[in-house]
Amino acid sequence: MRAVSDGATGLKGDARRQELLRVRGRSVAWLAPLVLLIGIVLIDFRTSSDFRILSWIVLVPGIAAAICGVWGTAMYAVLAPATYVGADAVLPHEFQAGLPDLVLAAIGGVLATLACAIRVRGERRMLHMQDVAATIRRTVLRPLPPGWGGLEHAAVYLAADSEARVGGDFYDIQIGLHGTRVIVGDVQGKGLGAVEAAAALLGTFRETGYHEPDLATVAVRLEERLQRHILMRAALGREDDDRFATAVLISFPEADPAVVDTVVLGHDPPLVVAPDGIRSLPPGAHGLPLGMGELDPAAGPPPALRVLLRPGETLLLTTDGVTEARNSAGEFYPLAADVAQAVAADPGIARPRRLVAFVRERTLRHCGGHLADDTTVFAVRREGGGKGVENVGNGDGSGRLQA
């Protein structure tokens, strides 16, 4: 989303702001103040001396300051008083407004130009912050290539803070020496601390997921990494003692395409969605959330649960932003029941792209668009049940949507 600023400043903030004020690629932001200026003069000429509105010309630079660039506003700051002088001079002497209103128009133009400069600077700073947030998002949630690791996948990330655009939810797919691994997780809390923890966990997953033959070992490495991250944060004076993360690890072994291995670490287990219905994974040993391993040091890593996955079956993974979304009556979103009903009505919803889009839409509808937490919806299956990869995106190539 880019456009060209109407002023010589060429600020990117102006460019984005004026996207809606363009016709056939050309800025028309200058048109509204001009119409107002002409309208004030014409109305003033057609009314009696008891109704003089020529002094309203002071509004023209103010309108320009809201929608034009600095140079455009400065032009109207000069044009408005000049028009006032010309229009006032045409009138008979007894009807002229005189010097006081001229001074008011001149001062209004100067103040409007200063206000416009401040607004443009704020827009430029906001644009820079959005670019930084987008860079962080691409680093933490890197775009996944089509068919990556032989998987058909789709993902939607909805930030509870629509301005931040990034939070503690994370997901990734990593090709490895022992198959393709998937992770979906949620770091407790919000803000940059949660983003840092998510980045640390993803970095570890991308290395251990590639090298380690045992999925449980990957879980152990993630636990160790988060513990080290917490210690480092504490040493820097940033209290993160209570930081933890939930996660689901999935492995698609190359040797046996009919099965998947899963390790659930304090997270909601995946839901298996097929054209003929849905099912939950069999109950297995769930591990503690990452960062809480010291609560039970003797427990060791949770064993990986191996389950059959038929062709066409999709694994649906969500963070608690979905399952804990509440409606106006305080009721949680019934994910499993809603998906089961949708698949029964239309088996094609089992495809990753359609499934993710459906869950996203229904979650937002259930909570009225007011998300209380960052929300991730991730669907994945082996290629062959549909065509290609499907990252549901917002037009910026990131493969994610912003609330």
Side-chain angles (χ1 to χ4, degrees), residues 283-369:
H286 288 196
L288 292 171
L290 298 170
M292 293 187 172
E294 60 183 12
L295 298 180
D296 189 5
L305 176 66
R306 173 159 288 193
V307 296
L308 294 175
L309 194 66
R310 297 177 298 166
E313 287 188 325
T314 299
L315 291 173
L316 174 64
L317 303 97
T318 64
T319 57
D320 55 13
V322 173
T323 55
E324 295 182 5
R326 296 174 182 262
N327 59 14
S328 58
E331 299 169 336
F332 291 116
Y333 171 55
L335 174 64
D338 203 21
V339 172
Q341 183 178 2
V343 170
D346 182 2
I349 288 180
R351 297 184 59 191
R353 181 181 181 84
R354 294 191 59 191
L355 181 59
V356 165
F358 171 81
V359 174
R360 172 191 180 275
E361 177 188 357
R362 297 290 292 184
T363 301
L364 291 174
R365 181 181 300 180
H366 183 80
C367 66

Side-chain angles (χ1 to χ4, degrees), residues 136 140-141 157 166-171 185-202 226 229-230 233 238-240 242-246 373-374:
I136 294 173
V140 177
L141 302 179
Y157 171 72
V166 66
D169 287 7
F170 58 93
Y171 61 84
D186 181 8
V187 176
Q188 172 265 340
K190 297 180 176 65
L192 291 179
V195 177
E196 290 178 8
L201 290 172
L202 282 173
L226 188 55
H229 176 78
I230 293 173
R233 295 271 298 181
R238 305 171 187 173
E239 296 298 330
D240 261 8
D242 59 346
R243 183 78 67 188
F244 66 88
T246 63
D373 197 2
D374 297 329

Side-chain angles (χ1 to χ4, degrees), residues 106-366:
I107 293 176
V110 172
L111 293 179
T113 303
L114 292 176
C116 181
I118 294 173
R119 191 212 75 232
V120 168
R121 180 179 297 179
E123 289 179 348
R124 187 178 187 181
R125 182 178 180 184
M126 179 59 68
L127 178 61
H128 176 69
M129 293 174 63
Q130 291 176 350
D131 288 341
V132 171
T135 301
I136 294 173
R137 184 183 65 236
R138 288 192 300 269
T139 301
V140 177
L141 302 179
R142 61 182 180 180
L144 298 173
W148 186 239
L151 302 180
E152 181 182 355
H153 56 85
V156 164
Y157 171 72
L158 302 170
D161 183 349
S162 60
E163 294 297 328
R165 299 187 178 184
V166 66
D169 287 7
F170 58 93
Y171 61 84
D172 199 14
I173 298 176
Q174 179 61 53
I175 297 175
L177 300 176
H178 308 280
T180 301
R181 270 72 185 271
V182 173
I183 187 171
V184 174
D186 181 8
V187 176
Q188 172 265 340
K190 297 180 176 65
L192 291 179
V195 177
E196 290 178 8
L201 290 172
L202 282 173
T204 299
F205 168 75
R206 289 162 185 167
E207 288 300 314
T208 59
Y210 179 85
H211 292 285
E212 295 293 343
D214 186 5
L215 196 61
T217 304
V218 177
V220 172
R221 298 292 179 261
L222 290 171
E223 170 68 24
E224 293 173 349
R225 181 65 184 91
L226 188 55
Q227 290 289 354
R228 288 161 43 208
H229 176 78
I230 293 173
L231 289 175
M232 172 62 76
R233 295 271 298 181
L236 292 173
R238 305 171 187 173
E239 296 298 330
D240 261 8
D241 294 342
D242 59 346
R243 183 78 67 188
F244 66 88
T246 63
V248 175
L249 296 171
I250 300 175
S251 179
F252 292 82
E254 290 184 352
D256 193 347
V259 301
V260 293
D261 297 325
T262 64
V263 172
V264 180
L265 302 167
H267 202 91
D268 292 331
L271 192 65
V272 183
V273 182
D276 57 354
I278 70 169
R279 61 186 174 92
S280 299
L281 292 182
H286 288 196
L288 292 171
L290 298 170
M292 293 187 172
E294 60 183 12
L295 298 180
D296 189 5
L305 176 66
R306 173 159 288 193
V307 296
L308 294 175
L309 194 66
R310 297 177 298 166
E313 287 188 325
T314 299
L315 291 173
L316 174 64
L317 303 97
T318 64
T319 57
D320 55 13
V322 173
T323 55
E324 295 182 5
R326 296 174 182 262
N327 59 14
S328 58
E331 299 169 336
F332 291 116
Y333 171 55
L335 174 64
D338 203 21
V339 172
Q341 183 178 2
V343 170
D346 182 2
I349 288 180
R351 297 184 59 191
R353 181 181 181 84
R354 294 191 59 191
L355 181 59
V356 165
F358 171 81
V359 174
R360 172 191 180 275
E361 177 188 357
R362 297 290 292 184
T363 301
L364 291 174
R365 181 181 300 180
H366 183 80

